[in-house]
Amino acid sequence: MAGYQDLGGFERGVIVGARHMGHSISEVAMKFGFSRTTISRAYREYRVSGKTSNFRHRCCRKKTLKELDHRRQTRILKRDRRAILPQIAANFNVGVSTSVSV
């Protein structure tokens, strides 16, 4: 039996979908093998945040590009919308602190 923290995005989606179809917590628990507490927590989280997935595992991940790099990337893309990826990477790598590979 999977605990609340062990649920993946798919399992959370199954729980939310079953509850939206009108099934009770007990029916979902019997059908899918989750505890009633797990089902009520997952559904409550969905009602509060509107999301079925949990992204806590990415909370401390370092960002690859800085804010200035994002703005520069936006300017490059606006300048030439039909550029292919190698051209964009080459334009981005000219005089930048963070290099990008394709």
Side-chain angles (χ1 to χ4, degrees):
M1 186 181 308
Y4 172 71
Q5 296 294 330
D6 299 331
L7 290 179
F10 179 76
E11 287 89 2
R12 290 172 193 264
V14 166
I15 290 171
V16 169
R19 292 288 289 141
H20 269 295
M21 290 182 0
H23 296 289
S24 69
I25 292 175
S26 298
E27 289 174 341
V28 176
M30 287 188 300
K31 181 73 174 174
F32 298 110
F34 301 125
S35 69
R36 292 189 327 226
T37 305
T38 299
I39 292 166
S40 63
R41 284 181 183 171
Y43 191 65
R44 183 179 59 225
E45 181 183 351
Y46 170 74
R47 281 193 330 241
V48 169
S49 68
K51 300 176 187 172
T52 58
S53 58
N54 187 356
F55 292 112
R56 275 188 240 162
H57 65 279
R58 292 177 18 182
C59 69
C60 300
R61 184 178 178 185
K62 292 197 172 200
K63 300 199 183 236
T64 307
L65 297 176
K66 298 177 182 143
E67 181 63 31
L68 289 173
D69 294 333
H70 278 287
R71 282 190 254 161
R72 187 161 189 261
Q73 179 185 17
T74 303
R75 281 194 307 270
I76 290 170
L77 291 173
K78 282 183 180 178
R79 203 177 312 139
D80 186 9
R81 292 279 183 186
R82 293 183 178 221
I84 59 174
L85 192 57
Q87 291 172 340
I88 296 169
N91 289 339
F92 189 82
N93 289 332
V94 173
V96 70
S97 60
T98 307
S99 64
V100 177
S101 62
V102 179

